[in-house]
Amino acid sequence: MAVVGAGYWGPNLVRNAMATPSLNLRWLCDLDEDRARRVLGPYSTVATTDSFDTILSDPQVHAVAIATPAGTHFPLAMAALDAGKHVLVEKPLTSSLADGEKLVHAAEERGLVLMCDHTYCYTSAVQELKRMVTSGEVGEVQFIDSVRINLGLVQPDVDVLWDLAPHDVSILDHLLPEGVRVEAVASHGADPIGHGMACVAYLTLRLSTGAMAHVHVNWLSPVKIRTMVIGGTHRTVVWDDLNPSQRLAVYDRGVEREALEQLAADDRKQMRISYRTGDMVAPALREQEALRSMVGEFVASITERRAPVTDGWSGLRVMRVLEAAAKSLRRDGAFVSVGENVGENA
């Protein structure tokens, strides 16, 4: 494999690629080759280059991991696919939905793996959340509330929505039960520092079941918060990613109402509500680095000739939500339909 980009995320990919036994990291490519050398250190056997063409022309490179600014994802990934390389792309898949669709179709036509680096989907917490939702332990999902705020990093080429919200939207896409999708999005944003793009954004997502999800992303908060609350008919789960001793808290508490057929005719106009108060359980989670699991999934999907968990189609579904959110932002927060699901695997 070759890693392209030695900036913020590339060094993390390099570290995990070198720690994956079934993977041989051959190149680190960056326009600033000195920076690439500093990332690798003086004793590394991995070669460096500032030429992407060198990567593409190397027959020993079977896969390329792209960790460059979002605007460069499409031309680099398409060139790698054209050269017969499997491709892993940092989120978002591309900077436009049309380009993302071109990439997905190009990968399928060539029989190559296209994977989007939705790293949070590979955390032990999200994997446990997925199990709880899929098994019915949570029950029918009634609401989801997610907060992802911190001070920086303010990006020069994308707003906070495109920078941070892909994490939350990709987690939702991964967690939602079969057949449940985001139907419409309303978003509100602000740029109080005069950056030229939204630095604070709130997204409201209407699900096909009638339930609602809410996402708050923010570059300007002096405190860092990473929480998600998933409320179901049976359980409510709170995920606090910054609390290593209790990342998940499962509450057997909620609101219940009597079915209409169980009520007398005179009582049906007044809904009867009861409150369930039970225990809280904090399940033990296996500590693992999500990025290591993600890199392992990329290798496994290539060797096993199958689609990865976060394949190009999942990347497109996330982008479709983000594009609807961006359109809503331009329309002063009006709900915008996400449209039909993309792809046969949607």
Side-chain angles (χ1 to χ4, degrees):
M1 188 173 84
V3 171
V4 182
Y8 174 68
W9 196 242
N12 295 319
L13 286 171
V14 166
R15 176 172 51 81
N16 283 278
M18 295 180 73
T20 302
S22 55
L23 187 62
N24 175 29
L25 182 62
R26 183 169 172 81
W27 292 97
L28 176 57
C29 176
D30 195 276
L31 292 175
D32 183 348
E33 193 171 355
D34 287 337
R35 178 166 61 184
R37 292 193 188 100
R38 290 194 299 271
V39 168
L40 293 171
Y43 305 109
S44 176
T45 58
V46 179
T48 63
T49 181
D50 60 2
S51 170
F52 189 55
D53 288 337
T54 299
I55 303 294
L56 299 182
S57 61
D58 186 345
Q60 294 190 57
V61 173
H62 305 116
V64 175
I66 297 172
T68 57
T72 66
H73 288 182
F74 175 71
L76 293 176
M78 185 60 80
L81 291 173
D82 287 339
K85 317 293 187 186
H86 303 284
V87 177
L88 168 66
V89 186
E90 184 187 3
K91 59 81 185 168
L93 184 62
T94 60
S95 56
S96 78
L97 183 62
D99 285 344
E101 290 173 340
K102 291 175 185 177
L103 277 187
V104 170
H105 290 300
E108 290 206 334
E109 290 168 1
R110 293 157 177 76
L112 296 169
V113 169
L114 175 64
M115 179 174 176
C116 197
D117 179 7
H118 292 151
T119 308
Y120 277 96
C121 295
Y122 299 92
T123 62
S124 56
V126 172
Q127 289 174 352
E128 176 63 10
L129 285 171
K130 175 71 172 178
R131 185 198 66 77
M132 294 180 66
V133 172
T134 303
S135 68
E137 191 172 333
V138 169
E140 183 180 346
V141 175
Q142 296 176 318
F143 70 90
I144 299 175
D145 193 84
S146 188
V147 179
R148 185 175 301 276
I149 65 176
N150 57 268
L151 197 60
L153 298 161
V154 175
Q155 301 295 329
D157 58 336
V158 293
D159 63 14
V160 69
L161 189 154
W162 280 92
D163 180 42
L164 296 183
H167 293 305
D168 304 273
V169 177
S170 65
I171 292 168
L172 289 177
D173 179 76
H174 184 61
L175 290 181
L176 289 177
E178 188 76 21
V180 180
R181 289 288 179 263
V182 178
E183 288 192 335
V185 185
S187 61
H188 298 81
D191 177 22
I193 63 173
H195 178 53
M197 294 178 285
C199 297
V200 180
Y202 297 84
L203 286 73
T204 301
L205 295 83
R206 185 185 296 154
L207 305 184
S208 54
T209 58
M212 185 172 289
H214 187 262
V215 177
H216 172 200
V217 289
N218 188 336
W219 280 330
L220 307 181
S221 170
V223 295
K224 185 174 183 178
I225 301 175
R226 297 278 189 275
T227 60
M228 179 177 285
V229 181
I230 301 176
T233 52
H234 300 329
R235 302 285 189 278
T236 295
V237 189
V238 179
W239 171 28
D240 183 353
D241 195 47
L242 301 183
N243 185 355
S245 63
Q246 186 179 298
R247 293 195 192 278
L248 291 184
V250 184
Y251 294 87
D252 184 16
R253 304 170 190 171
V255 177
E256 297 177 345
R257 67 180 178 89
E258 293 186 39
L260 290 179
E261 59 271 16
Q262 296 176 354
L263 298 176
D266 293 340
D267 293 335
R268 291 184 181 178
K269 293 182 179 180
Q270 297 180 353
M271 187 181 299
R272 290 189 176 178
I273 297 294
S274 62
Y275 295 91
R276 184 182 71 257
T277 303
D279 295 332
M280 187 281 286
V281 176
L285 300 176
R286 181 169 59 93
E287 286 299 324
Q288 61 181 16
E289 184 170 3
L291 192 55
R292 183 78 50 84
S293 299
M294 189 278 299
V295 171
E297 171 67 7
F298 182 49
V299 176
S301 65
I302 294 171
T303 57
E304 297 170 12
R305 298 179 181 273
R306 61 169 175 80
V309 171
T310 53
D311 61 2
W313 293 113
S314 70
L316 281 185
R317 290 193 296 270
V318 170
M319 289 189 64
R320 191 174 289 274
V321 172
L322 293 175
E323 289 224 339
K327 186 177 293 185
S328 173
L329 204 61
R330 295 192 295 270
R331 295 181 180 177
D332 294 327
F335 268 104
V336 173
S337 173
V338 174
E340 295 299 321
N341 293 333
V342 295
E344 297 178 358
N345 297 344

